[in-house]
Amino acid sequence: DQQVKQNSPSLSVQEGRISILNCDYTNSMFDYFLWYKKYPAEGPTFLISISSIKDKNEDGRFTVFLNKSAKHLSLHIVPSQPGDSAVYFCAASLIMNYGGSQGNLIFGKGTKLSVKP
Amino acid sequence: ETGVTQTPRHLVMGMTNKKSLKCEQHLGHNAMYWYKQSAKKPLELMFVYNFKEQTENNSVPSRFSPECPNSSHLFLHLHTLQPEDSALYLCASSQGNPGWTGPERYTFGSGTRLTVV
């Protein structure tokens, strides 16, 4: 059973518009969330994160919103650029060390974003 | 240059072969991970090593055997694999710590694309 769900396998957006990527989680114990970006033939790279004490974190064109009551987070990219075309993975973790998990990241399936010029 | 290097980039092997995947990190990290990425599935955590000690084996079949001789190197030994084991195998590293209680950001390698025939 997936603990982190990205229900949209793909998203297509026009250059300059906003891209919104969504992620849902089922484990209410998760308290740290990250977004990774992956280009073909490369490993995922860290993009932005948010802890559960916040509901918003912004870094340049990228903003992550967290709605704990809905167990939902989203990544907003504005304005979108063709270079943003990649697969975006949502990941969740526990800050506190429960058992032996050491805060290992649990990933979603990813959403492939295509930004068209 | 991500700081995490995986070799080989591509591997085709028969079901009776024995091969090894190699991962090396140059970041001074103390924790290393093996993830499996199959088509249309989330990144699946396989093994975790923290200070050369295996701290997690996520119900992985015994035909996959990890080895961590030091904090900079991680191997995944493969034998008698099945076609369904064909996937992208990603290595990652993070700071790690005894009794870690903080969120982690992983640095991933580019992966080994494995095809079992």
Side-chain angles (χ1 to χ4, degrees), chain B residues 5-116:
Chain B
T5 305
Q6 287 187 245
T7 54
R9 292 296 302 271
H10 301 274
L11 178 62
V12 180
M13 60 185 289
M15 289 189 282
T16 58
N17 291 159
K18 289 185 180 180
K19 296 286 184 183
S20 296
L21 309 185
K22 180 183 176 182
C23 177
E24 184 174 2
Q25 58 97 1
H26 313 279
L27 301 167
H29 287 167
N30 297 300
M32 297 186 77
Y33 312 80
W34 280 116
Y35 275 87
K36 176 183 178 182
Q37 186 185 9
S38 303
K40 299 182 181 179
K41 286 189 176 181
L43 283 162
E44 300 172 58
L45 179 64
M46 300 176 71
F47 301 104
V48 180
Y49 279 83
N50 193 28
F51 281 82
K52 300 187 294 179
E53 297 295 324
Q54 185 174 320
T55 58
E56 190 148 338
N57 175 340
N58 206 23
S59 302
V60 181
S62 60
R63 57 185 183 269
F64 295 91
S65 174
E67 179 189 2
C68 188
N70 54 62
S71 294
S72 299
H73 293 86
L74 184 65
F75 295 90
L76 187 62
H77 303 299
L78 316 170
H79 63 99
T80 60
L81 294 192
Q82 304 298 312
E84 59 264 29
D85 296 321
S86 298
L88 179 68
Y89 288 84
L90 288 161
C91 173
S93 69
S94 67
Q95 189 61 45
N97 219 10
W100 174 91
T101 57
E104 292 275 43
R105 292 178 185 176
Y106 295 6
T107 300
F108 282 88
S110 299
T112 295
R113 174 68 63 183
L114 174 68
T115 303
V116 181

